[in-house]
Amino acid sequence: MMTAGPVFMVILGATGDLTHRKLIPALFNLYLKGRLPEELHIIAVSRHGINIDELRGSYRDWVRENTGQGFDDGQWSRFAALISGLSAGCKDMAGYGKLAELLGQHKEPAAGYLFYLAIPPGFVADVVAKLGRAGLLAKDDAWRRVVVEKPFGHDLASARELNGEMHKVLDESQIYRIDHYVAKETVQNILVFRFANTIFEPLWNRNFVDHIQITLAEEIGVENRGGFYDQVGVVRDIFQNHMMQLLALVAMEPPASFTADALHNEKVKLLRAVRPVPAAEVGKYAARGQYRGFREEPGVSPESRTETFAAIKLHIDNWRWHDVLFYLRSGKRVKKKYSEVMIQFKSPPHIMFPVPEGSRPTPDMLAICLQPDEGIHLRFEARVPDTFAGMRSVDMEFHYEESFGASAIPQAYERLLLDAFAGDRSLFIRNDGVEMGWELMDPIIEGFQSPQGPPLETYEPDTWGTAGADRLIGRDGREWLQGCGKKEDESGIVR
Ligand code: BG6
C-alpha cells in the first residue's frame, strides 16, 4: 500500500556498478511506465565527491547504451531531475548528519524512506547502526525500509551475527534482503504454474517424479570480480541463495495465501526438510571444478583452490519427496548461459509396445525455462507416423515471447523496487531463509576445503563442467539433461 506524501529513496553507493547497471535502469523503466511513487526523491550518496550533473550524465550514458534506439532524451531529463546528490562517506558519522539535515529540509511529512545499501557487504552492519544513530530509522508515521544485497554473511555464524546487528535497529519487517533470482518473472511463474493449475500438482511428488535437476549455467567467467569471487566461490555465490530459493519454490507445499509470511513459512519448512550433507561425506554428494584460466583472471590468486563449478545431490526428507533425488549444478565459463528446472517423470510401469530388447521409451520431462528463451517445455513420447510401433520424444512449448510479446519480461530489479516501495516482502528473503541456506551449504563448503573432500577438477571453458559431475549423477543411473532450447536428439525407438 502506498501512503500519501513524498517518498525518499536514498542510495548509498550511488557511483558504483550496481547503481549504474541495475538500480537506475530499473527506476527509469518504472518512471516510463508511470509506476514510481507519485512524488519520489532519489538521493544519490557517495563518498566520491558528487557533481550531480556528471553523475546524471554517467547514469544517462549507461542507460542510453543499454537501451539502444528507444532512448528518449526528454523523458530521461524529466526522470534525472528526481535525482539529487550528497557527498558523504558511509564510515563517517558526519555524513549521516548531513543526510538527516537534507531529508529534514522537506517540510511536507514523508510517506516513507527507502535506504538502498548498494555498498560492499562488509559495511552493511555498520551503516545500518549509523543510520539508526542518526535517527534515520526512527519509528514515526513514515515507513522506513532498508534494502540489502547479497551476500548476507559468508557462513551461518556471520549471517546470524549480521541479522542480529540489523535487528538491534530494525524490525525484520523493515529489512528487504534481495535475491534477484526470486524476482525473475519465470521464477515467480513457478508458483503460478504449480498452484494456479490443477493438472500438474497431482503429479508433483514421489509417485510420479523420478528426479529433478536445477541448472544455473553461465557462459561468462568472473569478469572484473575476480578478487571477490576468489574469496567466495560458486557455493556461496549461487547455491546458498539463488539455488536454495529455487529448490524451495519447486519443492515446497502450497502456501495457504499469497502473503509474504505464508510464502516464507513454506519455503523455510521445505529447506528444513532437506537432508544435511555431512562434511565428511561431501565426496559422495558433490563434485567441484575450476575453469581453466581462472587463476590467470585479474584479482585471482595464481594458486587459487576456489571452485567455479559445483554439482550437488540432495534428498528431501518428507512425504512428498521421499527417495526423489534433486541434482543441482551451477558454473561459470560453461558452454552457454541458461537456467532451468527439469523434472523427469518415472517410466511407465509396463511397456505394452513391441520395443526392441533393452530399450524403453524416454521418460516424460517437464522443463521450466528460466532464462534465456523463457517458457515451459513438456516433452513426451509420440508415435512416429507410418511405422509399426515407432515412438520419439516431442516437445509442447510455451514461450513468454510468443504469448506476451518480446518486451513482456521486465528486469528483476523493477519488480523488487516496486515491491520495496509498496512494502511487499514476498520476493525478498526472510532472516530464517538466509540462515537455512547457510546451514545446508556450510558443511558442503567445509567438505570442499577438506583434504578428504572431492578433488578440484579443472574443466575446459565452453564445456559442461567436470567429469566428476557426470559421475555423480551417472552413479545413480541418470544423466544431466537439458529440457529447454531446441531438442537436438531426433532419435527414438523406431520399428
Ligand atoms: C549473481 C552472482 O548473484 O547472479 C553472479 O553473484 C551471477 O556471479 C549472477 O553472474 C547471475 O544472475 P543472472 O540474472 O545474470 O543470471
Side-chain angles (χ1 to χ4, degrees), residues 382-401:
R383 183 180 149 74
V384 179
D386 208 15
T387 59
F388 175 59
M391 56 186 96
R392 207 190 81 198
S393 305
V394 292
D395 276 9
M396 228 159 75
E397 299 182 11
F398 150 64
H399 296 269
Y400 266 83
E401 190 171 335

Side-chain angles (χ1 to χ4, degrees), residues 21-22 149-151 178-181 184 216-218 220-223 225 228-229 232-234 236-238 241-242 330-332 337-339 371 411-413:
R21 291 161 74 112
K22 301 285 185 192
E149 285 281 338
K150 72 177 256 278
I178 286 199
D179 182 319
H180 77 286
Y181 244 82
K184 287 181 190 278
L216 267 59
E218 293 191 89
I220 54 167
V222 289
E223 298 190 298
R225 299 160 74 220
F228 163 78
Y229 194 91
V232 172
V234 69
R236 289 190 172 97
D237 190 41
I238 299 283
N241 37 76
H242 307 328
S330 179
K332 290 202 181 281
K337 179 175 176 79
Y338 89 97
S339 310
Q371 62 186 23
Q411 291 301 312
Y413 274 82

